[in-house]
Amino acid sequence: MKVYIHPTFPAHPSLAPPSTMALRRLLLLALLPLLLDAAPANSKKTKVSVYYESLSPKSKAFFTEQLYPVWLDLKEYIAVDLYVYGRTTEEVGTTGYKFECIHGSDECVGNVMMMCAKINIPTVEQYMGFSNCIMEEFQGAAKSVDCATKFAIDYTPIEQCASTFVGQHLLHQTGLKQQTLSPALESAPWILINDVFTEEQMMAARQDLRKVVCAVNKEVPATKCN
């Protein structure tokens, strides 16, 4: 399958990671579970980690048919942990990071934008709604302003992030985070439950996430598992 190098990220005077405290804080936030939705280890919430691609048909199907509707109904019992990278590859060039995305250059733009959205959208409800809107529209970043408007989100900081080296570096850091997975990601969406991966559980979650969550989390009422 042909892939494309995304060439349109702006140049930056230094390829070294930005050193300001503010940017380090943003990068840290991007690599943590959604903070408003995260929970202590002894919480009743099940952690669902998803590594996906903004223009992957299977990612779209999982997000819009499984993750978002199940999260809406079981948000009291699910802590989402989302990373948009997948089968992206990258290299450092003279003008910044160059990303190759398996579904084309628009996917690279969409991946950067969605990681910028993760650190700039103030609530989990808004972020999940925005992300589901992007995946439903399935045009990468092209519908990002419309989706932001739909959920009363200020798009300006997202745009500023996505159009600068901040966005590039966020995606790079996301790739480093993904490299820690064992086994390594082979397809998208790649799903872990409570930080544990099994292929059997991932395939089951792609088909029926509610059933998987109910099987591992006995706090979920039976009425929500039928």
Side-chain angles (χ1 to χ4, degrees):
M1 179 178 293
K2 187 176 182 180
V3 296
Y4 304 82
I5 292 179
H6 177 246
T8 60
F9 291 118
H12 191 273
S14 172
L15 292 180
S19 59
T20 66
M21 183 64 70
L23 183 51
R24 286 201 297 269
R25 189 178 301 116
L26 291 178
L27 295 175
L28 176 62
L29 289 176
L31 299 180
L32 291 174
L34 300 179
L35 296 185
L36 294 176
D37 203 38
N42 61 353
S43 166
K44 64 183 178 181
K45 287 191 174 184
T46 295
K47 183 180 177 183
V48 179
S49 303
V50 184
Y51 294 77
Y52 67 108
E53 300 155 347
S54 61
L55 290 179
S56 156
K58 289 182 179 179
S59 294
K60 173 186 178 179
F62 175 70
F63 210 112
T64 61
E65 298 172 15
Q66 294 295 325
L67 183 61
Y68 187 61
V70 171
W71 175 81
L72 280 176
D73 193 36
L74 300 182
K75 64 177 69 175
E76 186 178 349
Y77 305 97
I78 296 178
V80 291
D81 186 17
L82 307 180
Y83 301 98
V84 195
Y85 194 85
R87 292 162 291 179
T88 300
T89 60
E90 63 179 74
E91 62 181 37
V92 179
T94 57
T95 60
Y97 294 104
K98 294 183 178 180
F99 299 101
E100 294 184 359
C101 296
I102 198 167
H103 299 103
S105 59
D106 286 347
E107 182 170 81
C108 293
V109 178
N111 291 352
V112 170
M113 182 276 296
M114 293 186 80
M115 288 308 299
C116 286
K118 181 177 181 179
I119 66 169
N120 283 291
I121 294 178
T123 72
V124 175
E125 286 74 16
Q126 287 176 304
Y127 178 68
M128 290 296 288
F130 174 84
S131 299
N132 186 68
C133 179
I134 293 294
M135 296 307 288
E136 279 188 326
E137 295 290 347
F138 208 52
Q139 297 182 43
K143 291 291 185 177
S144 54
V145 174
D146 291 343
C147 290
T149 300
K150 181 176 180 180
F151 291 94
I153 295 164
D154 179 6
Y155 189 68
T156 301
I158 300 173
E159 182 177 34
Q160 290 173 343
C161 169
S163 62
T164 66
F165 187 73
V166 175
Q168 291 188 49
H169 199 61
L170 277 175
L171 194 61
H172 167 70
Q173 292 293 325
T174 304
L176 294 181
K177 166 71 173 177
Q178 184 179 287
Q179 287 176 18
T180 67
L181 293 174
S182 180
L185 178 146
E186 297 178 356
S187 62
W190 195 257
I191 305 162
L192 288 74
I193 305 296
N194 290 330
D195 295 319
V196 175
F197 173 86
T198 70
E199 185 171 4
E200 180 181 7
Q201 191 172 58
M202 179 181 72
M203 299 307 292
R206 287 183 182 182
Q207 296 298 316
D208 192 341
L209 179 62
R210 181 185 302 271
K211 183 176 180 179
V212 170
V213 171
C214 287
V216 300
N217 190 336
K218 300 309 179 184
E219 297 288 337
V220 184
T223 55
K224 288 186 173 290
C225 292
N226 297 328

